[in-house]
Amino acid sequence: MNLKIRNSIQKTDATFIDNQFAMALDSVSIDSRSLQNGSQTLFFALTGANTDAHIYIEELIEVGVHNFVVTHIPSACKSQANFYVVKDTLLALQEFAAHYRSLFNFPVIGITGSNGKTIVKEWLNFLLSPDFNVIRSPKSYNSQIGVPLSVIAINEQHNLGIFEAGISVSAEMKNLERIIKPTLGVLTNIGSAHDEGFVSLEEKVKEKISLFQTAETVIYQIDAEIKSFNLSNSKAFTWSFINKNAAVFITKKMIVDFTILSIQYKEKYFEVKIPFQDQASVENAISCLMVLLYFKYDQLTIQNRMQLLFPVEMRLKVKNGINNCSIIDDSYSSDFQSLKIALDFLESQKQSENKTVIVSDIFQSGLTKDELYSKVSDLITSNKISRVIGIGETISEYKHKFDNCTTYLNTAEFIADYENLDFNNESILVKGARSFEFEEIVQLLEEKTHETVLEINLNAISYNLNFFKAKLKPNVKIMVMVKAFGYGNGGFEIAKLLEHHKVDYLGVAFADEGISLKNSGIQLPIMVLNPENTSFSAIIQHQLEPEIYSLKGLRAFLKIAAQKDLDHFPIHIKIDTGMHRLGFEANTIDELIATLKGNKTIQVKSILSHMATSDDVLHLNFANSQIALFEELSSKLSRELNIKPIRHLMNTSGITNFPNAQYDMVRLGIGLYGVSNDSEEQKKLQNVGTLKSIISQIRTIPEGDSVGYGRKFMAKEITKVATIPIGYADGISRGWGNELGYVMIKNKKAKILGSVCMDMLMVETTEIDCKEGDAVIIFGQAPTVNEIAKSLGTIPYEVLTSISQRVKRVFYRD
């Protein structure tokens, strides 16, 4: 692989600055935070609207990285490493991957569509891996960056590739096509995902199928959208439920929890049983079946393998575990590439210095066993894993390659010895191939709570953070508010992610919130916005930074600072510019200056104020008056005290609406969690939290019967009612009941009947085909927290922060 990397980088349009450092390249990286970066890493310093990896090159050199692809060489790094200087590092990465792909000659399946790409890829891997050494995209690595990283993972032992390609705007696919160069194309369902990036459905379809320009064959379902787009008959390998002219004609029937597919292909007629009934899964399974037919698998093999298909979990999930542990659940696949991703995720979300990895035998690496487990051992070492628990015959054979390693031949052996393993105060990655049934291990380790959960999409948080960072002027810092338990979404886990993204400050309301974060290992500076005088000693002890908003509070803090003989301890001065909540008013500024002048126990780290109407254009004049007053008073403070503090005034709405008043730092709050007061901006943010539950019981009541306390709902006809185990004790407003509000079941609205109870609510499901145990969406994409807040006459903040701590938070990354 080393030689191919060197050959490929030389094919990019780069100027090589050779500083005589070693060129033994074995991996490619774009993430400066990864612990896997080292002397054999080629690092691409990607730049974008909201990030520039060049600023991390000096840090990377310190940890041993010697080879970089850059647009410029940072002045402090000249002669410190080898540099390939290019015009565009993303384009260079794509050119590099395209050449690297050209060095291998084996079948490659390219998958695109609106929905189902990752599921089809994973199922094809399952169906074909007994006969091929498969390289595939890890997780849903299907973007302009993900595709090249996936392709670069090919090695000499692979003989089949499966890569997915996703696009969101026109003209993106041409970059991915030249990297993947599929020999076989699979087009999955074309739906509404990313419609906003295209002028029309026609444009989107044309863009999607441009992936297949050089493919020998393309598999797709004949329908009105596809058939007119010039896929030549010689390429097309089609299927249909209704068009008997398709190459494969299929009928289906449902039996219990299965679907029986009757296949008519050429002169053959046979049946295939699959363990799904929903339309999406059936269509995805048929795409896989078509690939098996293309590869000329016999009827018996197709039948035997297709009936073993399984639900695919595409997310890395963070869950609360027993004994103060955190669990990262990645228990459905075990290959080298996805292990690297999971270990990076473990580092970004670790809640303890002690890190344990429970891992099964590693499959489909394309390496010899000795080489594979040597590389796995290097990964474990570079990620500073405290202990390894290996499960499987092969990893047991290579136990000697790992420090502090316990192995078991199978999952049953591990479970039998579980009580002796003492899981306590550690972060645990559970990473196993599906055949090992590691979900049983997750169930053992997971903290037991009820079946209502708030799922937090960490990818969406990262996206929203970068969305707002892109609006900032150069060198403007960002403080992110994680008060009120991260606006109800979970404080520590989000703080850890923000630390991973290297934000400048975290903001909390009260000292105990900050102390909890510090005790959990957060290193970022944390500002306490509403400190009580009685908390000052604890704030100093835990190295928090208080906001000081009154002379009384300042004198109390200075007294303690003197007693503790502090030296330039950071404080933040709050000015009241019109909010009239907290802060020094204009008539107290002179006394404030006199009190601070010459005092070396403290340092005024920042001066801040708070906007009252940054989201309301009707109060523009008032907002501008606040900005003007802040400029006047903060300038006076800085001048009289001869200091250069960080000045910050703008919250989420202000970032967008008052870009000229961003000063030195902004404070991002509700926007991080996917909520905006601006309807156009709201469309560009990603939903972060989805509150889910299940149906506990379904009953049918006759006309005239009532539902719930006080008989607030009376049935006017025979009505099917489902009970959901979530109520006002979980944070659901009672005002959302009595047919005002609704939940989503099977993508249909189910209105809430009667009053919301403490622990339950009831919904109408007369027209919904559902059963007990089915999933229920309380809020998320629909209904949104904005919609709920508007109906209740409140604000999204209240909806989010009302979700009680007894609702389990599950953090995941797609």
Side-chain angles (χ1 to χ4, degrees), residues 642-675:
N642 193 27
I643 58 175
K644 292 184 178 179
I646 299 168
R647 293 192 291 173
H648 48 116
L649 176 62
M650 290 301 161
N651 56 5
T652 296
S653 297
I655 291 172
T656 300
N657 295 334
F658 296 94
N660 292 326
Q662 290 176 356
Y663 284 96
D664 305 301
M665 185 163 72
V666 295
R667 301 187 299 272
L668 177 61
I670 195 75
L672 182 76
Y673 308 98
V675 177

Side-chain angles (χ1 to χ4, degrees), residues 249-253 260-264 270-272:
F249 181 68
I250 301 172
T251 59
K252 60 182 178 178
K253 59 182 177 181
I260 305 297
L261 302 175
S262 297
I263 311 299
Q264 179 180 334
F270 61 97
E271 290 187 340
V272 173

Side-chain angles (χ1 to χ4, degrees), residues 111-179:
I111 306 169
T112 193
S114 300
N115 308 298
K117 297 184 292 294
T118 302
I119 292 170
V120 169
K121 178 198 67 187
E122 293 299 327
W123 282 351
L124 285 176
N125 175 66
F126 167 75
L127 294 166
L128 297 171
S129 59
D131 311 301
F132 293 92
N133 197 349
V134 179
I135 175 69
R136 73 192 193 281
S137 311
K139 300 296 178 186
S140 52
Y141 269 39
N142 59 27
S143 67
Q144 300 291 303
I145 297 172
V147 167
L149 292 177
S150 300
V151 167
I152 291 165
I154 299 173
N155 67 41
E156 289 80 355
Q157 304 305 314
H158 293 124
N159 57 14
L160 176 67
I162 310 175
F163 301 108
E164 56 175 299
I167 56 172
S168 55
V169 296
S170 184
E172 284 188 331
M173 190 63 86
K174 64 181 180 181
N175 298 325
L176 306 186
E177 188 277 333
R178 64 193 178 97
I179 298 170

Side-chain angles (χ1 to χ4, degrees), residues 358-647:
I358 302 174
V359 61
S360 74
D361 287 346
I362 309 290
F363 297 135
Q364 300 162 325
S365 68
L367 305 170
T368 66
K369 290 180 182 177
D370 189 71
E371 187 178 3
L372 169 62
Y373 286 97
S374 293
K375 283 182 170 291
V376 173
S377 174
D378 290 343
L379 275 183
I380 295 294
T381 301
S382 66
N383 279 272
K384 302 175 183 176
I385 303 302
S386 309
R387 67 167 166 169
V388 177
I389 298 173
I391 299 178
E393 294 180 2
T394 306
I395 198 169
S396 295
E397 182 183 344
Y398 288 90
K399 174 182 177 180
H400 63 279
K401 290 187 176 289
F402 303 93
D403 293 330
N404 194 19
C405 179
T406 305
T407 59
Y408 302 90
L409 293 178
N410 52 53
T411 303
E413 276 194 10
F414 167 87
I415 291 173
D417 195 40
Y418 166 73
E419 296 294 341
N420 299 317
L421 290 172
D422 188 29
F423 293 103
N424 226 305
N425 295 297
E426 54 195 303
S427 297
I428 307 169
L429 170 62
V430 182
K431 177 73 175 160
R434 186 177 181 277
S435 58
F436 285 85
E437 299 180 336
F438 271 17
E439 60 269 20
E440 295 183 29
I441 295 176
V442 173
Q443 289 174 8
L444 280 175
L445 293 171
E446 191 176 0
E447 184 180 58
K448 305 304 182 280
T449 53
H450 64 42
E451 293 175 285
T452 295
V453 299
L454 180 60
E455 290 189 346
I456 311 299
N457 185 337
L458 295 174
N459 281 2
I461 288 179
S462 297
Y463 173 89
N464 294 338
L465 173 66
N466 287 330
F467 174 82
F468 284 102
K469 284 175 71 175
K471 292 175 175 286
L472 302 183
K473 294 183 178 181
N475 302 317
V476 173
K477 299 179 186 295
I478 189 164
M479 173 188 289
V480 180
M481 309 308 296
V482 291
K483 61 182 181 178
F485 193 55
Y487 289 70
N489 291 281
F492 169 75
E493 293 83 0
I494 291 173
K496 188 65 184 174
L497 179 65
L498 295 171
E499 188 167 63
H500 191 62
H501 280 294
K502 300 184 178 182
V503 304
D504 300 286
Y505 261 90
L506 298 178
V508 297
F510 298 105
D512 56 349
E513 296 174 309
I515 291 169
S516 176
L517 293 177
K518 286 292 187 182
N519 286 342
S520 297
I522 296 298
Q523 300 297 314
L524 284 174
I526 299 174
M527 177 178 161
V528 182
L529 280 81
N530 306 324
E532 297 163 330
N533 292 2
T534 54
S535 69
F536 285 155
S537 292
I539 283 173
I540 293 168
Q541 178 186 344
H542 291 89
Q543 293 297 298
L544 303 173
E545 302 181 16
E547 173 190 288
I548 303 296
Y549 49 82
S550 69
L551 287 167
K552 179 182 178 182
L554 176 60
R555 288 167 181 148
F557 189 84
L558 290 176
K559 181 178 179 180
I560 294 174
Q563 291 170 352
K564 294 182 178 292
D565 196 24
L566 298 182
D567 182 29
H568 291 88
F569 192 91
I571 65 171
H572 302 262
I573 298 297
K574 175 74 168 285
I575 299 172
D576 181 5
T577 56
M579 181 80 165
H580 295 332
R581 188 172 64 179
L582 293 174
F584 290 93
E585 295 182 288
N587 60 7
T588 63
I589 295 298
D590 288 339
E591 191 172 357
L592 169 63
I593 292 169
T595 306
L596 288 172
K597 215 164 205 176
N599 195 309
K600 295 183 179 180
T601 62
I602 53 88
Q603 172 195 6
V604 178
K605 195 67 178 287
S606 83
I607 302 173
L608 68 148
S609 188
H610 196 88
M611 299 289 287
T613 61
S614 62
D615 60 335
D616 192 343
V617 295
L618 296 178
H619 294 286
L620 183 60
N621 289 337
F622 180 76
N624 285 328
S625 72
Q626 280 199 271
I627 295 169
L629 184 56
F630 178 71
E631 172 65 29
E632 176 191 343
L633 297 181
S634 63
S635 294
K636 181 176 181 178
L637 270 170
S638 301
R639 184 174 60 254
E640 295 290 333
L641 295 174
N642 193 27
I643 58 175
K644 292 184 178 179
I646 299 168
R647 293 192 291 173

Side-chain angles (χ1 to χ4, degrees), residues 285-297:
I286 292 172
S287 292
C288 296
L289 182 148
M290 295 291 289
V291 173
L292 296 182
L293 292 174
Y294 169 83
F295 279 113
K296 296 182 170 55
Y297 276 81

Side-chain angles (χ1 to χ4, degrees), residues 330-347:
D330 194 14
S331 57
Y332 84 98
S333 69
S334 183
D335 59 87
F336 186 67
Q337 286 303 112
S338 65
L339 177 61
K340 292 173 70 174
I341 293 169
L343 286 169
D344 273 341
F345 185 63
L346 170 64
E347 179 60 24

Side-chain angles (χ1 to χ4, degrees), residues 207-266:
E207 181 74 10
K208 295 277 186 185
I209 64 176
S210 67
L211 175 65
F212 309 133
Q213 288 180 30
T214 59
E216 299 166 5
T217 303
V218 181
I219 291 168
Y220 62 95
Q221 179 184 8
I222 291 179
D223 59 36
E225 287 80 17
I226 305 302
K227 64 185 180 183
S228 61
F229 285 111
N230 300 322
L231 282 168
S232 67
N233 291 334
S234 61
K235 273 190 176 187
F237 185 32
T238 60
W239 67 272
S240 179
F241 291 126
I242 55 176
N243 189 335
K244 292 189 176 182
N245 291 322
V248 179
F249 181 68
I250 301 172
T251 59
K252 60 182 178 178
K253 59 182 177 181
M254 313 297 185
I255 300 178
V256 192
D257 293 328
F258 291 86
T259 299
I260 305 297
L261 302 175
S262 297
I263 311 299
Q264 179 180 334
Y265 174 48
K266 295 182 177 178

